[in-house]
Amino acid sequence: MSAQSDTRTRILEAARDLIYASSYADVGVQAICDRAGVKKGSFYHFFKSKQALTLAVIDHFFSDFRDSLIREAFHSDLPPPERFERLVALAIARQEMIHRETGHVLGCPFGNLATEMATSDQTIRGRIETVFSRLQGYVRDALRDGIERGDFPPLDVEATAAAMFAYFEGLMLLAKTRNDPAVLRELLPAMTQIRIPLAR
């Protein structure tokens, strides 16, 4: 990794960790530079603004989430019902680990940013909407596979995927609000049972 690439990565990872643990509004450029061990000049060499950095952080979050959770949960070799069960188990384990390490349930990084920024920054809102659409697509594809294999009955795939994803995000917010990962352990498995029938 080149020195420039290393510096950019340090800034990205510092911003990712600080924003996830706190909020967009509470994390300033100086705090990010201090955490990354760089000067402000280096920050603005790579990112023209805090907004530009946040867009890159969203992409970084998505890449990490996809590689560490989505690909393992939605592996095509798994029967579709097991994909959802693994997603639930991995999501619970991730939040329990974070709670043990920090004392806090941090929830979904995309949901956190959406809650904070959706009405104030349309560029960030749009990027998060794209991420949500991609994540929901994994759910939709697993449902379709399950119907084709006979694992699920005929159902409204789009509506079911949207409902399952909304349930997931809502519980992440509830667990964060209560600062209790037990919320996820108790309620998140019910996501796997959501089914919206086809309209008659």
Side-chain angles (χ1 to χ4, degrees):
M1 181 181 290
S2 68
Q4 280 209 344
S5 178
D6 178 65
T7 299
R8 185 180 187 277
T9 298
R10 292 207 319 272
I11 294 169
L12 261 179
E13 292 180 348
R16 176 198 63 193
D17 294 346
L18 290 171
I19 292 172
Y20 189 30
S22 183
S23 70
Y24 177 89
D26 287 344
V27 177
V29 171
Q30 187 60 58
I32 294 168
C33 291
D34 291 345
R35 176 71 171 259
V38 303
K39 298 185 182 301
K40 276 191 176 181
S42 294
F43 177 96
Y44 288 111
H45 173 75
F46 293 105
F47 305 101
K48 66 180 181 180
S49 65
K50 185 179 169 185
Q51 182 201 61
L53 170 64
T54 302
L55 295 173
V57 165
I58 292 169
D59 294 341
H60 198 60
F61 265 129
F62 177 78
S63 179
D64 175 65
F65 194 67
R66 180 194 59 211
D67 293 344
S68 65
L69 194 148
I70 292 295
R71 284 181 174 162
E72 183 174 349
F74 288 97
H75 197 286
S76 59
D77 289 344
L78 288 174
E82 291 185 24
R83 296 177 206 175
F84 294 122
E85 291 168 4
R86 183 171 290 188
L87 173 66
V88 166
L90 290 170
I92 292 170
R94 189 182 186 113
Q95 292 301 318
E96 287 180 335
M97 179 189 69
I98 292 170
H99 187 260
R100 285 194 302 271
E101 292 177 351
T102 69
H104 300 282
V105 174
L106 298 184
C108 172
F110 311 114
N112 295 347
L113 275 170
T115 300
E116 182 182 6
M117 304 299 297
T119 59
S120 60
D121 190 309
Q122 292 304 298
T123 302
I124 291 175
R125 183 204 60 76
R127 185 65 59 87
I128 296 169
E129 183 179 22
T130 298
V131 168
F132 278 173
S133 178
R134 294 177 70 180
L135 293 174
Q136 190 171 305
Y138 289 102
V139 177
R140 183 178 60 245
D141 292 345
L143 289 170
R144 286 179 175 154
D145 285 351
I147 293 170
E148 289 178 4
R149 292 163 50 106
D151 295 318
F152 305 134
L155 49 81
D156 187 327
V157 171
E158 292 293 340
T160 300
M164 292 175 80
F165 186 73
Y167 185 82
F168 181 94
E169 285 296 323
L171 276 184
M172 284 290 170
L173 179 59
L174 182 62
K176 180 178 180 179
T177 301
R178 294 184 181 174
N179 195 32
D180 186 358
V183 171
L184 300 176
R185 186 160 290 283
E186 178 183 0
L187 299 176
L188 193 55
M191 185 194 83
T192 67
Q193 302 305 311
I194 294 173
R195 305 284 186 271
I196 297 181
L198 291 166
R200 294 182 179 179

